[in-house]
Amino acid sequence: MPCFHRDHIKLTALPESVRGCEECLAAGEPWLHLRICLECGHVGCCDDSPKRHATAHANATQHPLIRSLEPGEEWAWCYVDRVAMLVPQVTGGTLIPPSPLGTRLSS
Ligand SMILES: [Zn+2]
Ligand SMILES: [Zn+2]
Ligand SMILES: [Zn+2]
């Protein structure tokens, strides 16, 4: 199934580094994996994180596309069409801190 929202991609390059999920950092909450909004650059946490801030951001703003910020992951996801894709026009890579929940889940 195609995605009809590629014109929502406003981000041209990924940030060099982020500190974590913006809302989790503000609330002092832990997150698992990080996602970035390809329309405004908002950084939120994945659906396996307790607060699911990336999905909450998409619902609140109608920004349909996110990309994974996890090392080695390049996929993007459209919430509207529910389809995964690659977005080679968004360049760069982001340095992220270790997940506060990562070590707990893998041990
Ligand atoms: Zn789409
Ligand atoms: Zn979060
Ligand atoms: Zn956004």
Side-chain angles (χ1 to χ4, degrees), residues 1 15 18 20 22-23 28 36 38 49-50 62 82 85-87 94-95 99 102:
M1 192 200 280
V18 297
E22 295 171 12
E23 281 101 339
I36 190 165
L38 291 176
S49 301
Q62 306 297 312
R82 306 192 59 78
M85 72 198 89
L86 292 174
V87 284
T94 304
L95 204 61
S99 161

Side-chain angles (χ1 to χ4, degrees), residues 37 40 42 57 61 63:
C37 172
C40 72
H42 168 273
H57 172 79
T61 59
H63 293 169

Side-chain angles (χ1 to χ4, degrees), residues 40-99:
C40 72
H42 168 273
V43 176
C45 50
C46 69
D47 281 357
D48 292 320
S49 301
K51 301 291 181 178
R52 304 180 176 188
H53 284 126
T55 298
H57 172 79
N59 289 337
T61 59
Q62 306 297 312
H63 293 169
L65 292 159
I66 54 161
R67 184 194 186 280
S68 175
L69 284 183
E70 295 301 306
E73 292 188 1
E74 295 184 346
W75 55 265
W77 173 257
C78 177
Y79 282 106
V80 179
D81 297 309
R82 306 192 59 78
V83 63
M85 72 198 89
L86 292 174
V87 284
Q89 67 266 49
V90 182
T91 58
T94 304
L95 204 61
I96 64 170
S99 161

Side-chain angles (χ1 to χ4, degrees), residues 7-8 24 50 60 73 78 84 90 98 101:
D7 58 340
H8 282 262
C24 284
E73 292 188 1
C78 177
V90 182
L101 285 176

